């Protein structure tokens, strides 16, 4: 008897250890499952984010460690930006500046012993808006190549890019809007005063009519005269070519493009700065959609239009869906079930494309082929009415009975009793409507014709057709990531309301 009782605690201890291991095993499998699912859900977004930083998002095989996020190359981009434009963040090339760029070439003994051919080339991405041809750094700068070292069959060359400035700055830099008439060059100062301008460099004098009103320049005040110092270049494209048998093995920055079996390297910008190197596609999304007539970035305008459209959709959904949902859930009136069947369920079953022609003709006759017509087309969301109806049906009837005893009518009961308790449902409705409006593409594509009135989805689709018909995927991915950020922020902040409910605390006892 004593021996049996002594064995029982030992068995009980082993049983508890087994149960504990089983609980930990279940928890481990659960976390592993969550990690795998998070990879499937977040993986495409993270890959899109990483690819939006690359010069070539279509590279294969794709790399997870890229130069644009490597501290070594970010530091070199900062240094080149300081050399070329005096700004390590924005970079660029300004008059009176020079920079050096190193290139290492492998030259075997049986290969030609000639030095590489290095030159600046013209590069101007096509924009959504009609811009005049921009001045190119190759027309104003000089390139010199000098061999600085040799180790084995590898030779290192120093590339010097010099952008001379004839007039030294002795006064202040004045912010001005440049105008280029055909008879003389003038500038309009910030105070509205027009002044004559003397071109700074001989190159600028020879190519003065290449400078259009969208070209970046510096206006220098020296004594009583104003000098145009520029133009200022946002990017400095460089190309390096070597002979057959040679190969380029290293350079200050990795190339943007490789051709001719890695014997031709192209650098879209050797004075990028940090923003121009790591976030170049994001900067282009704002800069290359700037309307020269108004100076407004179309991309920023699309963002504001999308926020306005989403805000109007959320407000109308909160007002009309809550009223309709409460009426269908709590009020008794003739035809209620028929209205619910035809006005809510049937509408959700019918695709919106079925009403395309009739809705478009109606909005066109009303002169509403704009954001207001887009909002009117989706004024009441059938899915939102269904959501609010189901929520109000799940709330306790004691709330309405108590309000009725106190003498409250139907609208007072709805406004002061039921609606305050519907916070979780209203938050869920707002999130779904905001997300739906933000990602809406079909109806904005049909109704909106003016680029200024575009929403983000339509504007991003134009990136593909505007850039040579092939698609500038770095720019498209950058715009897609920017458009996804607001939806992610809204969902992360308010996601807890999807599972929260206020009806549990509405009645005590």
């Amino acid at each position: 008897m004593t021996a049996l009782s002594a064995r029982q605690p030992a068995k009980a201890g082993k049983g508890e250890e087994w149960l504990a291991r089983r609980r930990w095993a279940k928890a481990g499998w659960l976390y592993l499952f969550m990690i795998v699912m998070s990879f499937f859900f977040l993986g495409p977004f993270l890959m899109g984010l990483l690819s939006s930083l690359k010069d070539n998002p279509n590279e294969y095989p794709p790399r997870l460690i890229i130069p644009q996020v490597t501290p070594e190359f970010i530091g070199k981009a900062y240094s080149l930006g300081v050399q070329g434009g005096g700004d390590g963040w924005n970079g660029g090339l300004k008059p009176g500046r020079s920079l050096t760029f190193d290139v290492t070439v492998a030259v075997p003994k049986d290969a030609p012993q000639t030095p590489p051919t290095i030159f600046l080339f013209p590069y101007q991405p096509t924009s959504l808006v009609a811009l005049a041809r921009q001045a190119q750094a190759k027309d104003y700068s000089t390139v010199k190549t000098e061999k600085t070292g040799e180790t084995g069959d590898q030779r290192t060359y120093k590339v010097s890019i010099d952008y001379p400035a004839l007039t030294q700055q002795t006064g202040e830099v004045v912010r001005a809007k440049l105008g280029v008439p055909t008879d003389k060059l003038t500038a309009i100062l910030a105070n509205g005063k027009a002044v004559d301008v003397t071109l700074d460099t001989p190159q600028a004098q020879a190519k003065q009519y290449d400078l259009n009103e969208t070209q970046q320049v510096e206006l220098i005040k020296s004594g009583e005269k104003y000098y145009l110092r520029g133009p200022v270049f946002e990017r400095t494209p460089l190309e390096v070519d070597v002979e057959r048998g040679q190969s380029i093995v290293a350079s200050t920055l990795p190339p943007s493009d490789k051709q001719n079996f890695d014997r031709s390297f192209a650098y879209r910008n050797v004075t990028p700065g940090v923003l121009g190197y790591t976030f170049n596609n994001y900067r282009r999304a704002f800069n290359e959609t700037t309307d020269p007539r108004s100076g407004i970035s179309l991309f920023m305008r699309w963002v504001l239009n999308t926020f306005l459209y989403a805000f109007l959709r959320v407000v109308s959904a909160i007002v009309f869906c809550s009223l309709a949902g409460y009426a269908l859930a709590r009020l008794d009136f003739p035809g209620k079930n028929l209205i619910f069947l035809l006005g809510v369920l049937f509408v959700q079953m019918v695709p919106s494309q079925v009403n395309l022609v009739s809705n478009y003709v109606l909005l066109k006759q009303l002169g509403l082929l704009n954001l207001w017509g887009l909002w009117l087309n989706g004024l009441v969301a059938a899915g939102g009415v269904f959501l609010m109806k189901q929520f109000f049906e799940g709330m306790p009837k004691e709330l309405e009975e108590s309000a009725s005893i106190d003498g409250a009518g139907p609208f007072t009961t709805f406004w002061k009793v039921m609606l305050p308790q519907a916070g979780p449902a209203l938050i869920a409705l707002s999130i779904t409507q905001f997300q739906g409006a933000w990602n809406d593409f079909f109806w904005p594509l049909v109704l909106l014709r003016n680029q200024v009135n575009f929403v983000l989805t339509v504007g991003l689709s134009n990136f593909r057709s505007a850039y040579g018909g092939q698609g500038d995927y770095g720019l498209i991915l950058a715009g897609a990531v920017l458009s996804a950020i607001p939806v992610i922020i809204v969902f992360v902040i308010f996601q807890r309301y999807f599972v929260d409910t206020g009806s549990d605390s509405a009645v005590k006892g």
Side-chain angles (χ1 to χ4, degrees):
M1 190 73 171
T2 304
L4 180 61
S5 61
R7 295 192 193 100
Q8 289 178 349
K11 291 182 179 180
K14 292 181 179 179
E16 291 177 358
E17 293 178 1
W18 180 80
L19 291 175
R21 287 196 301 268
R22 187 174 181 180
R23 285 194 297 266
W24 279 108
K26 288 183 177 180
W29 281 109
L30 177 61
Y31 278 105
L32 179 62
F33 175 77
M34 293 173 63
I35 292 174
V36 172
M37 295 305 296
S38 65
F39 173 79
F40 280 108
F41 283 108
L42 295 178
F45 175 77
L46 295 178
M47 285 301 299
L49 175 62
L50 188 64
S51 299
S52 68
L53 304 177
K54 300 178 181 179
D55 288 325
N56 181 20
N58 296 329
E59 66 175 3
Y60 187 84
R63 294 177 295 169
L64 295 180
I65 305 300
I66 60 176
Q68 284 76 10
V69 296
T70 304
E72 175 188 358
F73 294 115
I74 293 177
K76 292 180 179 180
Y78 182 90
S79 176
L80 290 171
V82 171
Q83 293 181 55
D87 187 348
W89 292 99
N90 295 300
L93 183 62
K94 295 182 179 181
R97 292 278 180 173
S98 60
L99 67 137
T100 58
F101 190 87
D102 295 330
V103 177
T104 302
V105 181
V107 186
K109 294 181 180 180
D110 56 347
Q113 302 299 303
T114 56
T117 303
I118 302 177
F119 58 92
L120 297 174
F121 66 92
Y123 176 68
Q124 179 179 352
T126 307
S127 178
L128 288 173
V129 294
L131 294 178
R133 186 71 180 177
Q134 296 287 304
Q136 299 293 323
K138 72 180 186 65
D139 297 324
Y140 297 85
S141 305
T142 59
V143 180
K144 297 180 180 179
T145 305
E146 177 186 357
K147 187 173 73 170
T148 58
E150 183 173 355
T151 304
D153 62 350
Q154 294 187 358
R155 301 175 184 178
T156 301
Y157 295 88
K158 181 179 71 173
V159 182
S160 300
I161 302 174
D162 182 46
Y163 184 4
L166 187 64
T167 303
Q168 298 297 324
Q169 179 180 350
T170 58
E172 58 179 338
V173 178
V174 182
R175 292 182 178 271
K177 179 181 179 182
L178 179 67
V180 188
T182 56
D183 54 346
K184 67 177 182 178
L185 191 63
T186 62
I188 308 299
L189 303 183
N191 59 8
K193 180 182 177 182
V195 296
D196 293 334
V197 175
T198 301
L199 293 176
D200 182 30
T201 63
Q203 294 94 332
Q205 296 174 18
K207 297 179 176 297
Q208 58 177 308
Y209 300 116
D210 287 345
L211 303 180
N212 56 78
E213 61 181 7
T214 64
Q215 181 69 56
Q216 298 182 38
V217 294
E218 287 182 335
L219 192 64
I220 306 300
K221 183 178 181 181
S222 180
E224 297 299 326
K225 293 184 178 181
Y226 291 88
Y227 293 90
L228 173 64
R229 197 167 83 161
V232 175
F233 303 106
E234 185 180 271
R235 55 181 65 88
T236 309
L238 181 73
E239 183 170 338
V240 180
D241 296 332
V242 297
E243 297 290 341
R244 185 182 299 272
Q246 300 178 355
S247 61
I248 306 172
V249 296
S251 57
T252 302
L253 289 179
S256 305
D257 188 25
K258 299 179 181 180
Q259 294 182 358
N260 296 333
F261 302 100
D262 292 347
R263 290 188 289 108
S264 178
F265 281 15
Y267 305 84
R268 296 176 187 173
N269 191 4
V270 293
T271 57
V274 175
L275 296 180
Y277 185 66
T278 303
F279 302 101
N280 179 47
N281 291 322
Y282 292 89
R283 186 169 69 174
R284 290 175 57 204
F286 290 95
N287 292 349
E288 293 180 14
T289 58
T290 301
D291 189 343
R293 294 167 296 181
S294 61
I296 298 176
S297 172
L298 290 180
F299 188 87
M300 181 57 67
R301 184 64 181 267
W302 298 340
V303 173
L304 296 177
N305 290 342
T306 311
F307 267 113
L308 176 61
Y309 174 48
F311 173 76
L312 293 175
R313 280 277 300 268
V314 169
V315 172
S316 61
I318 291 176
V319 174
F320 294 109
C321 294
S322 60
L323 286 170
Y326 179 74
L328 293 174
R330 293 304 198 190
L331 302 183
D332 293 326
F333 54 89
K336 182 178 74 171
N337 294 332
L338 182 62
I339 292 175
F340 176 70
L341 178 64
L342 297 180
V344 178
L345 297 182
F346 184 74
V347 169
Q348 295 183 80
M349 299 176 189
V350 178
S352 60
Q353 289 82 353
V354 174
N355 303 322
L356 169 63
V357 177
S358 59
N359 288 0
Y360 178 82
V361 172
L362 177 61
L363 293 174
K364 183 178 181 180
Q365 292 177 348
L366 294 175
L368 292 176
L369 295 181
N370 49 34
L371 284 175
W372 301 107
L374 185 63
W375 169 60
L376 183 63
N377 184 68
L379 188 62
V380 181
V385 174
F386 182 81
L387 172 66
M388 297 305 299
K389 175 182 179 296
Q390 296 302 114
F391 183 85
F392 283 126
E393 285 182 346
M395 296 188 68
K397 295 183 178 180
E398 288 80 1
L399 292 172
E400 295 172 291
E401 294 173 355
S402 300
S404 177
I405 293 174
D406 293 337
F411 183 78
T412 303
T413 302
F414 164 76
W415 181 254
K416 294 187 176 181
V417 178
M418 303 296 286
L419 192 62
Q421 301 297 330
L426 292 177
I427 292 294
L429 176 64
S430 300
I431 293 176
T432 55
Q433 289 299 308
F434 180 88
Q435 183 178 7
W438 191 270
N439 297 325
D440 194 5
F441 176 74
F442 176 74
W443 276 108
L445 180 65
V446 172
L447 297 181
L448 304 180
R449 287 290 176 263
N450 191 342
Q451 283 185 341
V452 178
N453 294 329
F454 281 174
V455 294
L456 263 178
T457 51
V458 180
L460 293 179
S461 69
N462 278 260
F463 279 164
R464 178 175 178 82
S465 60
Y467 289 82
Q470 300 299 320
D472 192 331
Y473 291 103
L475 192 62
I476 294 173
L477 285 171
V481 170
L482 290 174
S483 67
I485 289 176
V487 177
I488 294 175
I489 292 176
V490 169
F491 183 81
V492 169
I493 293 177
F494 297 105
Q495 57 87 23
R496 66 186 183 91
Y497 290 101
F498 277 111
V499 296
D500 191 16
T501 177
S503 60
D504 296 337
S505 59
V507 180
K508 297 182 179 179

